[in-house]
Amino acid sequence: MHRMKRNIFNVGRLSVLLAALFTLGAPLALTSCKEDISEDAFAVATKQTITDYVSEHDSLSMIKALFDEVKLGNLENASVLTSVLSARGNYTVFAPTNAAVQAYVDSVVGHKGATIAELDMDQKKRIALNCVIDHVNSAAYETADFSAYVSTNILPVSNLNNRRLPISQVDDDYYVNNNALIIPNQSNIELSNGMLHVVDHVISPSVKTVAQLVKDADNMRIMGKLLEITGWADSLSLKTKEEEAYETSHVGYAGNKKSFPRVGTFDYQITRKVAYTAFVETDQVLHDDWGVPMPQYDEATGEIANWDEIMKVIEEKCTTHLGVRTAAGDYTNTANAVNQFVGYHLLDGGLSADEFVQHFNEYGYDFVDAKNPSTKYTVIVYDYYQMKSKPSGLLKITQLPKEKDFYINRISNLNNGFPYQQGRGDYQEIAGQPVKAKYVNKPGQNGCNIKISVTNGANENNALNGYYYPIDHVLINNQATRNALASERIRVDVITLMPEILSNELRGRGAAYFTNDFFSNIMNTSVGTEIYYLRQGYAGVGGAWRDYNGDQLLVCGRFDFVMKLPPVPESGTYELRLGTSNNELRTMVTVYLGDSPYNAQPVGLPIDQREAVSNIPGNPWKQDTGDEETDRENDRNLRNQGYMKGPNAMMPSGTKAGDDGTYATCRTTEGNPALRRILTTTYMKSDKTYYLRFKSAIDLTTAQFVLDYIELVPTSVVNGTEEPEDIW
């Protein structure tokens, strides 16, 4: 399918030509201009807009009527969609046929032959806004684009109702929001301001909560009930009043932009949506793994007739596997085993499946661009998230490169040696023995190696306030689970610690700046603290970035703030590291650590992110030689000064393979390479929360402090109890 052509260039070329002729003093008449200039130069004026197209097709008259009435925004003078879709832009429109709109209106109003006039404005907005996506400066979607998003079942750009739309494929057909077929001979209608696809159903994502969708799923009756009786369903309720209060109190910032010297322009983030993610066993999984009786569901009453029998087994299994016997029968008590079990399945932050892990600058990967990312994955990629349970815990999500499947708590055997070692060093799982049998030798054992499904059949999993995903084995977080997670280096992207970025569709999609009350995991911020989110390619910033996943929190001003750390999986001694990419724009910062946001103690010397590696005492940073013994000795010398090279699993963005098939990674790049700063080695308890405080150490408000990623590394890994810590 051909890419949609932009005609702005032709008009610009005409303007340049006219200006040049006047400058040269050439005689000019409009008639001669018309004779000499191709008709293509006037295509913008003659090609139909989206509004033109729907106006001229009787089969789309009902959606046109809604576009005439529904406004984009809540202000009195806001434009109706008809006006918006007649202007320049890049829109994708999934236009429902009249038959589709009529069927939807009948179902909402409750009788056949209902009219649009019988809908209230919220119902009209739901139809009109959900079917339009504004791509701003990117091209609209053609059907050829959709194949890249089928594996995660979600389109990356939100619609005008601020909802991400599921996209699926059956044979050669594509479906939006599970049930809306893109009619094959009425797709890819190229218009001057976008692309229109006719669909056979109204696009109407669910307005229910995550907990409600789980309860409604015909294969998740047990977990739906458990969410209710433990009180976790209430914690997953809509936070509409909270969201509205935030927006109201920040309305004065609406439309504000902030220019940052030598970086770019950032939009102020005025909305603060609250969303959640749940990983849920089906009734069949609970039956197969734990012997829980299948529910006898009464459709008339909405009750499970054999609930007492089910609950008896659930209590017994939770108590046995978790070793928790406190608050027996008090299911809303966080000390209760059943309550903790349910809490292990829940995360703060709305995670669409394409956000489980990030593909940007991992070893060997070619990002291409945001709209058409490569799906040729090269190495294993993972990240860690904090469970809502109390006490909390970590949940690791891994994606395999070839299968593209997602797993929870997969403890992998990896080819993780030096890249130049024969048969090692590609950072993929070892064929024939992909997982470490010491911790898990079959799927689901010890709450490890659990496969995630991105869809749940005909059941919707895209809620108004987040998502849920089916899992194929029972998820627990017992001593064995924690031991397994504590056997590895834990590398956490700072962005995954910020559920507000995940919930507000910011990750990987732009640049923003925030007031100091935006983040729940950043607190005690001074008045002078300025916090930004930045992804490479936005805000005018280019070059080869050495950031984990290509994004960062950028902190400036006279800053002083506290950041909450993720929990460690098991009590023990950990080395705490901070990923950093130094350059002359950075700043110096003093770091403190403690188990209270109000009482932290300094750790180590201040970090100077302006420091080139050549300024590290003794000049210990050396380029790899290809001799492992020499390179490990160089690494030890660098560690003695409190630094480590950046991970070999990361490349400077945009890096391509060399002539010899190798890559310039964040470990091997010279100049100002990526580094890891060792903050401290300390004993940390799994049932305690720890905090890092960062305070600017120089009085230069335009200098940048970059927060990229955190590493929590058990000393057994640091010291190589089983094998030396890998370079990846």
Side-chain angles (χ1 to χ4, degrees):
M1 189 61 62
H2 65 280
R3 177 65 50 199
M4 185 171 64
K5 298 176 181 177
R6 297 290 166 214
N7 301 295
I8 297 172
F9 174 75
N10 290 331
V11 175
R13 184 172 59 187
L14 173 61
S15 300
V16 171
L17 175 61
L18 292 174
L21 289 172
F22 277 117
T23 301
L24 294 172
L28 181 67
L30 291 177
T31 52
S32 64
C33 176
K34 184 175 181 180
E35 290 170 357
D36 295 335
I37 302 299
S38 166
E39 289 294 330
D40 289 344
F42 300 95
V44 168
T46 59
K47 183 177 282 189
Q48 282 188 316
T49 66
I50 293 168
T51 293
D52 292 336
Y53 186 87
V54 296
S55 299
E56 292 183 8
H57 287 75
D58 291 341
S59 62
L60 302 176
S61 61
M62 293 183 77
I63 192 64
K64 168 60 166 58
L66 288 163
F67 287 166
D68 288 342
E69 192 174 353
V70 172
K71 293 182 177 181
L72 183 59
N74 298 319
L75 298 178
E76 183 122 356
N77 61 349
S79 299
V80 295
L81 286 183
T82 296
S83 176
V84 172
L85 297 176
S86 64
R88 288 184 183 274
N90 296 295
Y91 300 98
T92 297
V93 176
F94 299 108
T97 62
N98 285 350
V101 176
Q102 186 63 61
Y104 183 83
V105 173
D106 289 349
S107 68
V108 170
V109 176
H111 66 80
K112 287 281 188 181
T115 66
I116 289 175
E118 294 177 75
L119 300 176
D120 61 34
M121 184 50 68
D122 285 342
Q123 293 165 335
K124 293 175 182 178
K125 285 183 175 181
R126 196 171 302 146
I127 301 172
L129 297 178
N130 277 320
C131 73
V132 181
I133 296 174
D134 182 2
H135 297 266
V136 191
N137 295 320
S138 299
Y141 291 133
E142 300 178 26
T143 53
D145 297 323
F146 297 145
S147 61
Y149 311 125
V150 168
S151 64
T152 52
N153 193 50
I154 200 82
L155 292 176
V157 183
S158 302
N159 61 23
L160 294 185
N161 202 32
N162 199 30
R163 295 292 296 274
R164 301 275 299 283
L165 296 177
I167 186 75
S168 54
Q169 184 177 8
V170 179
D171 298 325
D172 293 329
D173 294 327
Y174 289 102
Y175 289 81
V176 184
N177 200 45
N178 298 328
N179 67 342
L181 170 69
I182 297 176
I183 301 173
N185 62 353
Q186 298 183 63
S187 63
N188 295 327
I189 300 167
E190 184 180 338
L191 301 164
S192 68
N193 58 347
M195 193 74 69
L196 185 140
H197 309 277
V198 179
V199 294
D200 71 347
H201 281 74
V202 165
I203 309 294
S204 183
S206 174
V207 293
K208 294 184 177 181
T209 67
V210 172
Q212 288 170 330
L213 283 189
V214 172
K215 183 180 179 182
D216 288 349
D218 57 13
N219 59 347
M220 295 178 171
R221 306 296 189 192
I222 296 173
M223 282 300 292
K225 182 75 171 179
L226 287 175
L227 283 167
E228 285 189 345
I229 68 171
T230 56
W232 283 112
D234 293 335
S235 73
L236 303 184
S237 62
L238 295 178
K239 303 298 186 290
T240 307
K241 290 183 178 179
E242 178 182 323
E243 293 168 350
E244 290 177 349
Y246 185 90
E247 190 166 343
T248 300
S249 64
H250 294 77
V251 70
Y253 292 90
N256 277 13
K257 294 180 181 292
K258 195 175 188 73
S259 294
F260 194 82
R262 300 179 68 180
V263 177
T265 301
F266 296 75
D267 292 321
Y268 173 70
Q269 181 66 24
I270 191 172
T271 58
R272 189 179 183 273
K273 181 181 178 181
V274 180
Y276 309 96
T277 303
F279 298 100
V280 187
E281 296 93 348
T282 63
D283 300 325
Q284 190 67 52
V285 165
L286 289 169
H287 173 73
D288 293 345
D289 282 15
W290 274 8
V292 178
M294 292 295 288
Q296 299 169 10
Y297 186 72
D298 188 330
E299 294 284 353
T301 64
E303 297 295 331
I304 299 174
N306 60 334
W307 180 249
D308 289 344
E309 183 184 355
I310 289 171
M311 197 61 199
K312 181 179 179 181
V313 179
I314 292 286
E315 281 192 281
E316 176 190 335
K317 292 294 184 180
C318 289
T319 300
T320 300
H321 284 282
L322 303 183
V324 176
R325 288 176 167 77
T326 53
D330 185 2
Y331 305 127
T332 61
N333 192 321
T334 56
N336 175 270
V338 177
N339 185 287
Q340 291 183 16
F341 168 70
V342 177
Y344 297 149
H345 296 72
L346 311 176
L347 309 178
D348 283 317
L351 272 177
S352 55
D354 61 348
E355 292 180 325
F356 289 163
V357 300
Q358 295 291 296
H359 292 284
F360 188 79
N361 61 341
E362 65 259 32
Y363 181 81
Y365 180 67
D366 186 5
F367 176 72
V368 186
D369 63 65
K371 183 173 183 291
N372 295 289
S374 172
T375 55
K376 186 179 180 181
Y377 301 147
T378 51
V379 296
I380 194 166
V381 178
Y382 56 86
D383 211 335
Y384 294 83
Y385 297 87
Q386 182 171 347
M387 302 168 172
K388 283 181 69 65
S389 58
K390 298 177 182 178
S392 187
L394 282 181
L395 184 145
K396 178 187 180 185
I397 299 182
T398 298
Q399 186 175 28
L400 304 184
K402 295 178 182 177
E403 301 86 348
K404 298 182 175 62
D405 294 329
F406 296 102
Y407 288 87
I408 293 175
N409 298 342
R410 189 175 176 98
I411 311 300
S412 299
N413 268 322
L414 293 169
N415 289 314
N416 59 4
F418 276 80
Y420 44 76
Q421 287 180 313
Q422 184 65 34
R424 303 198 73 195
D426 63 1
Y427 210 55
Q428 296 199 40
E429 291 184 336
I430 298 173
Q433 42 182 320
V435 296
K436 292 184 178 179
K438 178 178 180 180
Y439 302 103
V440 50
N441 55 25
K442 62 181 180 179
Q445 181 185 19
N446 300 330
C448 297
N449 199 22
I450 297 172
K451 190 175 181 180
I452 304 170
S453 174
V454 298
T455 63
N456 189 26
N459 297 290
E460 282 193 85
N461 70 327
N462 181 349
L464 184 59
N465 68 338
Y467 306 85
Y468 79 83
Y469 302 96
I471 53 179
D472 72 343
H473 287 284
V474 175
L475 175 62
I476 56 175
N477 185 37
N478 62 13
Q479 188 64 53
T481 318
R482 296 190 290 271
N483 287 343
L485 290 172
S487 70
E488 301 185 310
R489 173 186 55 231
I490 299 166
R491 180 179 298 146
V492 188
D493 193 330
V494 166
I495 303 305
T496 69
L497 303 179
M498 306 297 154
E500 294 78 14
I501 286 183
L502 307 178
S503 298
N504 289 274
E505 309 294 351
L506 291 170
R507 189 175 199 176
R509 294 183 179 86
Y513 80 97
F514 315 91
T515 53
N516 291 344
D517 57 349
F518 185 80
F519 296 105
S520 56
N521 286 336
I522 292 179
M523 58 209 73
N524 297 358
T525 53
S526 65
V527 174
T529 302
E530 299 177 2
I531 303 175
Y532 305 79
Y533 172 74
L534 184 59
R535 172 71 177 261
Q536 182 179 5
Y538 293 90
V541 180
W545 279 29
R546 294 166 176 83
D547 294 71
Y548 192 40
N549 297 324
D551 61 1
Q552 61 187 221
L553 281 185
L554 188 66
V555 187
C556 311
R558 294 182 179 86
F559 61 83
D560 188 353
F561 66 97
V562 172
M563 184 180 76
K564 180 181 174 183
L565 287 174
V568 294
E570 178 64 357
S571 297
T573 303
Y574 289 80
E575 186 171 273
L576 177 59
R577 306 168 184 162
L578 181 68
T580 180
S581 179
N582 293 4
N583 65 46
E584 71 279 4
L585 300 179
R586 307 293 197 232
T587 189
M588 182 181 288
V589 60
T590 305
V591 184
Y592 306 75
L593 173 68
D595 58 9
S596 165
Y598 304 100
N599 184 24
Q601 302 302 314
V603 288
L605 298 173
I607 297 174
D608 192 346
Q609 290 190 332
R610 303 166 299 177
E611 187 175 50
V613 293
S614 58
N615 293 331
I616 298 174
N619 195 20
W621 195 99
K622 305 293 182 184
Q623 183 68 271
D624 283 351
T625 65
D627 177 77
E628 183 179 359
E629 184 176 345
T630 299
D631 293 337
R632 288 199 181 277
E633 178 64 24
N634 290 337
D635 287 353
R636 284 191 289 270
N637 292 335
L638 188 60
R639 277 186 59 87
N640 289 338
Q641 298 300 324
Y643 288 94
M644 295 177 65
K645 290 183 175 181
N648 205 68
M650 292 163 47
M651 305 185 302
S653 55
T655 301
K656 307 294 182 184
D659 294 336
D660 59 354
T662 61
Y663 293 86
T665 73
C666 286
R667 172 182 170 83
T668 59
T669 307
E670 297 184 80
N672 274 340
L675 293 167
R676 286 173 280 182
R677 176 64 180 264
I678 302 169
L679 299 180
T680 188
T681 300
T682 187
Y683 189 84
M684 303 177 77
K685 294 183 177 180
S686 60
D687 59 351
K688 274 198 171 186
T689 302
Y690 293 88
Y691 303 85
L692 284 176
R693 177 188 173 194
F694 301 100
K695 184 178 181 182
S696 57
I698 59 174
D699 192 17
L700 181 61
T701 59
T702 58
Q704 311 166 3
F705 172 52
V706 170
L707 276 171
D708 189 7
Y709 62 96
I710 298 286
E711 287 186 349
L712 293 161
V713 192
T715 52
S716 60
V717 175
V718 176
N719 298 327
T721 301
E722 296 184 8
E723 60 180 358
E725 182 182 353
D726 66 67
I727 64 173
W728 296 82

